[in-house]
Amino acid sequence: MMKAEQLEVGGATSKVSTRVGSNKGISAMDLVLRIVGVVGTLGSSIAMGTTEQTLPFFTRFVRFNAQYDDFPSFRLFVIVNAIVCAYFVLTIPLSIVHVMRSAARGSRILLVILDTVMLALLTAGASTATSIVYLAHNGNNSANWLPVCQQFNDFCQRASGSLIGSFGGIVVFILLILLAAIALSRQRKHSL
């Protein structure tokens, strides 16, 4: 429950909330999470986009090469993480506005909707890359697909590591949506 104090100014009384800055803290956390999201998705995109390994065969002239763009799922992963990173960067100014004006309601609702769309996009990109990484590590006996990570160990380790930042971005989006819902519910209580 919110406590309020009675303040008398020029014969008129008004209620002053003792929790004036409660949404400012939520907005500041929103800003920090967006910055963390930029770092995670940018790191994932760069790590996967630079994943490559070349193995020599019997001679020096015949080589096997594995690159991220050999797999459409990995290309999708890089593109989705780049889009989400750009989205995080573009929404940081709006998050700063929310820190200064914690009563902004319309822009917060817009961010919740866009955050949900980006959460779905990032989840799709991360899950497709995860399935390919799983197949690369374990193979599939039913389809006679052998695990390739025994030969391309460095490639697989970088691809696996790049998934961490992307799944971190998914957690960031979940927290952002929850924080926005809390801020919006507090604003609704204030207006009632």
Side-chain angles (χ1 to χ4, degrees):
M1 291 305 255
M2 187 166 54
K3 296 179 182 177
E5 299 173 0
Q6 295 289 335
L7 188 66
E8 195 165 321
V9 179
T13 53
S14 65
K15 291 188 176 184
V16 177
S17 172
T18 57
R19 274 209 249 172
V20 172
S22 62
N23 274 352
K24 285 195 184 285
I26 290 174
S27 298
M29 182 62 92
D30 182 275
L31 177 63
V32 169
L33 285 173
R34 289 188 190 280
I35 293 169
V36 168
V38 167
V39 172
T41 55
L42 181 63
S44 287
S45 188
I46 290 172
M48 184 66 83
T50 57
T51 300
E52 177 181 8
Q53 185 176 1
T54 303
L55 294 176
F57 193 50
F58 290 117
T59 67
R60 184 185 308 168
F61 302 108
V62 178
R63 297 175 182 228
F64 291 116
N65 191 20
Q67 294 179 336
Y68 87 96
D69 59 353
D70 293 335
F71 303 94
S73 297
F74 288 167
R75 271 187 266 150
L76 174 70
F77 179 81
V78 170
I79 292 168
V80 163
N81 275 286
I83 290 170
V84 170
C85 181
Y87 168 77
F88 273 134
V89 169
L90 291 174
T91 57
I92 284 175
L94 194 55
S95 187
I96 292 171
V97 168
H98 287 159
V99 171
M100 293 186 290
R101 286 190 53 225
S102 60
R105 184 172 175 83
S107 58
R108 203 176 291 271
I109 291 171
L110 177 66
L111 273 182
V112 168
I113 294 168
L114 293 176
D115 286 349
T116 305
V117 170
M118 290 295 148
L119 172 63
L121 184 66
L122 188 60
T123 302
S127 61
T128 59
T130 302
S131 66
I132 298 301
V133 168
Y134 177 82
L135 281 175
H137 278 286
N138 300 319
N140 186 334
N141 291 333
S142 301
N144 289 328
W145 292 340
L146 300 173
V148 296
C149 286
Q150 295 169 357
Q151 291 81 24
F152 293 99
N153 190 33
D154 292 340
F155 177 82
C156 290
Q157 292 302 320
R158 282 190 64 122
S160 298
S162 69
L163 295 173
I164 294 169
S166 192
F167 282 110
I170 291 170
V171 171
V172 164
F173 272 126
I174 291 170
L175 292 174
L176 286 172
I177 292 167
L178 289 174
L179 285 175
I182 291 169
L184 286 169
S185 71
R186 285 185 178 177
Q187 286 177 355
R188 182 164 170 83
K189 286 180 186 176
H190 288 298
S191 65
L192 294 177

